[in-house]
Amino acid sequence: MKKTIILLLFAVVNVAFAQSGKIYLKNAKFNVGKPNTYVYEPPQGLAIEDNAKANFLYITPNDFSSDISPLKKSGKRFEFTAKVPVSVRVILVTINDSQKIADSNNEKGYSVLLKTQNDIELGKSLIDEIYVRSNGGYFFRLKSDPKQEDLIAEYDAIFAKYPKLRDDIVALEYLYKKKSINKEQGEKDLLAFADKCVKRDTEEYLTTAYYIYSSNNDTQDQATKLRKEISEKYPANRIDKMDFIRKFYDQTDKTEASILESINTFRTKYNDTSKRSLNYFYSNLIPIYLDKGDLKKAIEIEPYLTTPADSYNNFAWGQSGGDLTMPVKDIDFAAKVSKRSLDILEAKRKECYTPDYNDKFNMFADTYALLLYKQGKYEEAFKYQSGVKALNGLDAGGKERYLAMLDKVKSKDEVKAYIEDEINKGNTSPVFLAKLKEIYIEKKLPMAEYDAIQQKTELLAQENKNKDLLEKFGTKNAIDFTLKNLEGKETKLSDYKGKVVVLDFWATWCGPCKASFPKMQHLVTKYKDKDVAFLFVNTWENGKEEDVLKKVTSYITEKKFDFNVVFDSKTEVVTNYKIQAIPTRIVIDKTGNILAYDNSNTDLGAIIDEQLK
């Protein structure tokens, strides 16, 4: 057994350093808290552009962070300099130029251990390397989808060589992974670890113990007692700091003045001026400036935001109406804000390509193209929507918007060819068929030919939809539920049989959810006297039930939305419907069968109208 463990450890170290190219510290000793120079040796035969940069990921006690550093050529090698926080033990690196990831080390990334001066430090660095590497897929689009059992085996190999680390804070992620495999034993191990943390009696260990105790129903008293002790010993502790942020988020009547006051209190009380922390506050301030039409003030706070482009796009998409027909109150301002999101993205790309560039471009350009279309700038709108199409970024609604723009700037033959190409790929919609029929009539083509296409595509579309629904939900039958609404009355889904029902899963912290609500209100009003019911299922909300009720009620009242909100307090409905992200909307027909689902509200009106015929 001992021999096997040693071999496993060798395998762990080997994974970290079995790299086609090489990245390593230039100096043998890592200078903690200071800039360090790294050497990059590309794989043989790989050409590296002059503008290439090192893109590196690392873990701090609170979060993941990433940064970039320019490469400087040094003979056949390259060098880059980077400074990371004192707590960092390992960095994961890819080499990017302005267009792509130039070297991802065969989609694994380059792991560089920083602290290796003794066995304990080396062991801790190896443990952090597992954690950073296993998350590289999410942050850097690397091949990283390891099984929990395999990761646990890697941890066990390291702990076998460095047994003292089992009681170190670095073991926490390992314990949570074990809990994911065996919940009952995992909880016991975590509570035992928490008891050891209390004995270590430092702020970091006490805080860890508190979070473990507070997540277990049987140790709430211990958590309360420990929370009081931490607050008394460490006035600027992380628990109180996060509680301050949480309470800030729960405020529904935020104003510019109240947010600025919260920022000042936060900076003073917790001495925290990091962008990551301040972003919690400034991300709530930027929509207020944009609602007032003050882009200048919004731009001034961009340095305090981690993703200002996302904030601009969320606002612009909310203003756009989400489809081709909804009017826009101040379209010129909305378009200017949307363009700002693209400008920021493009400036970032010129600095260094990021793995999420295509996804961001697709979202931002789709919004901007829609606004340009509504401004009557059809050529420019088509250019941006074509860019999304080139990156395979068009969803069902995006394809319909592309069709509308194509119809404005190209010939009927080109429009017909596009529709037929999509149909041949198995993609269709009532909008596609309606436009194709219009072309057949206008060009006096044989209608029998169109009828055959329509019949074939509708049949195929239904087959694909049924298959998709079964894969998603396991059944077409909507799962019944009973939830309380804003007035505390029980609302049962099955009571709405005989009506078309729209379920809208949302939370107050979800920006895209709230951005879609003006369009949803339009739909609620449009179908108010029809056989249609909308249930806005509040889920994944933070806080006690009474606090959530107060928060949601204040928000809905303040925004004057005429919504029937129901509360999925135990997250049973969102789990039963296998919701993975919000907003998600599900349409149910009059007999209780699921018709459709998506993360936008683009096609809801068309789907509902079809059911009301």
Side-chain angles (χ1 to χ4, degrees):
M1 184 58 133
K2 186 174 181 181
K3 189 174 182 180
T4 303
I5 290 173
I6 293 172
L7 288 173
L8 275 171
L9 177 63
F10 177 76
V12 171
V13 179
N14 222 26
V15 167
F17 294 99
Q19 306 172 132
S20 56
K22 292 181 182 178
I23 296 182
Y24 51 89
L25 282 163
K26 185 175 183 179
N27 299 320
K29 183 181 178 182
F30 174 71
N31 294 309
V32 179
K34 297 180 180 179
N36 284 268
T37 299
Y38 301 81
V39 176
Y40 166 53
E41 296 182 10
Q44 189 173 0
L46 179 65
I48 301 297
E49 294 183 9
D50 292 338
N51 63 353
K53 294 179 174 65
N55 191 20
F56 54 97
L57 177 74
Y58 55 87
I59 180 72
T60 65
N62 299 324
D63 202 1
F64 279 93
S65 294
S66 63
D67 208 342
I68 58 174
S69 180
L71 291 184
K72 296 180 181 178
K73 194 165 180 58
S74 177
K76 293 183 178 181
R77 308 182 308 177
F78 294 85
E79 294 181 358
F80 64 93
T81 301
K83 180 182 178 182
V84 295
V86 173
S87 61
V88 175
R89 298 180 176 280
V90 60
I91 59 174
L92 184 69
V93 188
T94 62
I95 304 301
N96 301 5
D97 56 36
S98 61
Q99 300 294 329
K100 63 186 181 303
I101 299 176
D103 183 7
S104 64
N105 185 32
N106 297 318
E107 298 185 79
K108 299 191 299 290
Y110 290 95
S111 295
V112 185
L113 304 185
L114 306 180
K115 299 179 180 179
T116 59
Q117 61 268 38
N118 55 51
D119 283 351
I120 294 298
E121 291 300 322
L122 174 59
K124 289 181 178 181
S125 295
L126 286 168
I127 287 173
D128 274 7
E129 193 275 336
I130 296 174
Y131 189 40
V132 175
R133 171 167 44 86
S134 64
N135 284 275
Y138 176 78
F139 290 98
F140 278 5
R141 302 295 195 272
L142 302 174
K143 277 187 178 177
S144 179
D145 190 20
K147 295 179 180 179
Q148 298 291 72
E149 294 88 344
D150 294 340
L151 291 175
I152 288 170
E154 291 189 35
Y155 280 115
D156 281 334
I158 296 172
F159 289 134
K161 187 169 180 63
Y162 310 109
K164 289 183 179 180
L165 294 183
R166 287 188 180 275
D167 297 334
D168 193 278
I169 205 79
V170 295
L172 189 60
E173 181 62 22
Y174 162 75
L175 293 172
Y176 278 115
K177 289 190 184 303
K178 288 190 70 176
K179 181 183 174 182
S180 70
I181 302 296
N182 186 330
K183 184 177 180 181
E184 185 177 350
Q185 184 59 47
E187 287 181 348
K188 289 180 181 178
D189 292 344
L190 277 165
L191 289 175
F193 184 75
D195 293 341
K196 293 176 182 178
C197 286
V198 171
K199 293 177 182 178
R200 299 285 285 267
D201 197 26
T202 67
E203 182 179 359
E204 182 183 26
Y205 279 91
L206 291 175
T207 300
T208 298
Y210 165 77
Y211 280 121
I212 294 173
Y213 288 147
S214 63
S215 65
N216 190 292
N217 291 331
D218 298 330
T219 52
Q220 293 302 305
D221 290 342
Q222 288 168 269
T224 302
K225 180 182 177 181
L226 193 55
R227 170 76 181 269
K228 183 179 179 182
E229 179 184 339
I230 293 169
S231 295
E232 290 173 353
K233 292 177 69 173
Y234 309 101
N237 67 84
R238 182 159 64 97
I239 302 169
D240 288 345
K241 182 168 70 171
M242 295 309 298
D243 195 42
F244 183 92
I245 293 172
R246 194 174 296 110
K247 287 177 180 177
F248 168 80
Y249 260 96
D250 288 345
Q251 297 171 14
T252 56
D253 54 347
K254 299 182 189 73
T255 64
E256 178 182 3
S258 71
I259 294 173
L260 291 173
E261 182 181 354
S262 294
I263 291 171
N264 184 57
T265 302
F266 183 82
R267 282 176 161 174
T268 304
K269 187 172 183 178
Y270 299 104
N271 193 30
D272 188 346
T273 58
S274 66
K275 178 183 282 192
R276 176 183 177 273
S277 293
L278 294 180
N279 177 72
Y280 290 119
F281 303 95
Y282 283 102
S283 62
N284 282 266
L285 186 57
I286 194 168
I288 292 176
Y289 290 151
L290 296 177
D291 282 337
K292 293 178 180 179
D294 196 338
L295 183 57
K296 182 180 178 182
K297 274 194 172 182
I299 291 173
E300 287 174 356
I301 66 170
E302 283 178 12
Y304 302 106
L305 296 165
T306 55
T307 55
D310 292 74
S311 297
Y312 289 131
N313 181 67
N314 287 342
F315 173 82
W317 179 252
Q319 295 295 104
S320 75
D323 66 16
L324 294 161
T325 59
M326 280 286 290
V328 181
K329 185 177 179 181
D330 188 348
I331 192 165
D332 291 340
F333 181 72
K336 188 183 294 185
V337 172
S338 181
K339 183 61 165 59
R340 181 72 182 169
S341 71
L342 283 164
D343 288 344
I344 292 172
L345 182 67
E346 185 60 20
K348 189 177 178 181
R349 185 196 65 77
K350 287 181 179 178
E351 184 180 22
C352 181
Y353 174 82
T354 56
D356 63 353
Y357 172 80
N358 288 358
D359 293 340
K360 298 279 189 183
F361 177 84
N362 289 337
M363 286 192 294
F364 301 170
D366 184 43
T367 301
Y368 189 48
L370 177 57
L371 290 165
L372 288 170
Y373 178 86
K374 290 186 175 183
Q375 286 180 311
K377 299 176 181 179
Y378 303 126
E379 290 282 356
E380 197 174 354
F382 180 68
K383 181 186 78 172
Y384 279 96
Q385 200 72 352
S386 295
V388 179
K389 181 176 181 291
L391 293 175
N392 296 315
L394 295 177
D395 59 11
K399 288 178 180 179
E400 291 183 0
R401 292 190 287 278
Y402 177 84
L403 173 62
M405 296 168 196
L406 181 72
D407 191 40
K408 291 290 186 181
V409 300
K410 300 295 182 180
S411 69
K412 296 298 180 185
D413 287 339
E414 289 171 289
V415 174
K416 179 173 177 286
Y418 169 68
I419 296 173
E420 291 173 341
D421 182 57
E422 286 297 317
I423 287 174
N424 289 333
K425 292 175 181 175
N427 303 321
T428 187
S429 73
V431 172
F432 276 29
L433 290 173
K435 175 56 66 175
L436 187 61
K437 183 176 182 179
E438 178 187 307
I439 293 171
Y440 264 77
I441 293 171
E442 183 179 329
K443 296 179 75 67
K444 297 180 180 179
L445 298 171
M447 290 308 295
E449 185 179 307
Y450 166 77
D451 291 339
I453 293 173
Q454 180 188 31
Q455 186 177 9
K456 180 182 177 181
T457 55
E458 286 181 346
L459 181 63
L460 180 62
Q462 189 61 47
E463 289 176 356
N464 289 338
K465 186 167 74 171
N466 290 340
K467 181 181 178 182
D468 182 45
L469 290 173
L470 286 173
E471 287 179 355
K472 171 68 177 176
F473 302 105
T475 176
K476 283 188 63 179
N477 297 323
I479 302 170
D480 199 13
F481 58 79
T482 301
L483 298 175
K484 289 184 179 180
N485 64 12
L486 285 170
E487 290 75 39
K489 297 178 181 178
E490 289 191 343
T491 299
K492 193 173 184 180
L493 175 62
S494 55
D495 287 344
Y496 291 93
K497 273 197 175 179
K499 291 188 175 185
V500 178
V501 181
V502 177
L503 305 180
D504 188 333
F505 292 86
W506 72 288
T508 57
W509 50 260
C510 171
C513 300
K514 294 187 287 188
S516 71
F517 278 179
K519 172 66 182 296
M520 293 304 296
Q521 180 61 67
H522 170 77
L523 293 172
V524 169
T525 302
K526 178 180 177 181
Y527 297 106
K528 191 168 188 177
D529 298 321
K530 305 286 179 66
D531 287 333
V532 183
F534 291 82
L535 296 179
F536 290 81
V537 185
N538 180 266
T539 191
W540 291 339
E541 199 72 67
N542 300 315
K544 298 178 181 178
E545 287 188 25
E546 57 268 29
D547 295 334
V548 170
L549 174 62
K550 182 180 178 181
K551 178 168 51 177
V552 172
T553 301
S554 297
Y555 174 74
I556 296 295
T557 303
E558 177 192 342
K559 298 298 182 181
K560 299 179 181 178
F561 290 132
D562 183 21
F563 291 171
N564 185 5
V565 176
V566 293
F567 294 89
D568 184 24
S569 305
K570 297 179 180 178
T571 66
E572 291 177 351
V573 178
V574 75
T575 301
N576 288 339
Y577 279 86
K578 301 179 182 178
I579 305 299
Q580 296 178 331
I582 55 176
T584 290
R585 297 174 184 88
I586 295 174
V587 184
I588 302 167
D589 70 15
K590 294 181 180 182
T591 65
N593 287 325
I594 298 173
L595 282 171
Y597 72 94
D598 68 7
N599 301 109
S600 69
N601 54 16
T602 304
D603 301 319
L604 285 182
I607 295 170
I608 294 170
D609 288 341
E610 185 68 25
Q611 292 300 304
L612 294 179
K613 287 181 180 179

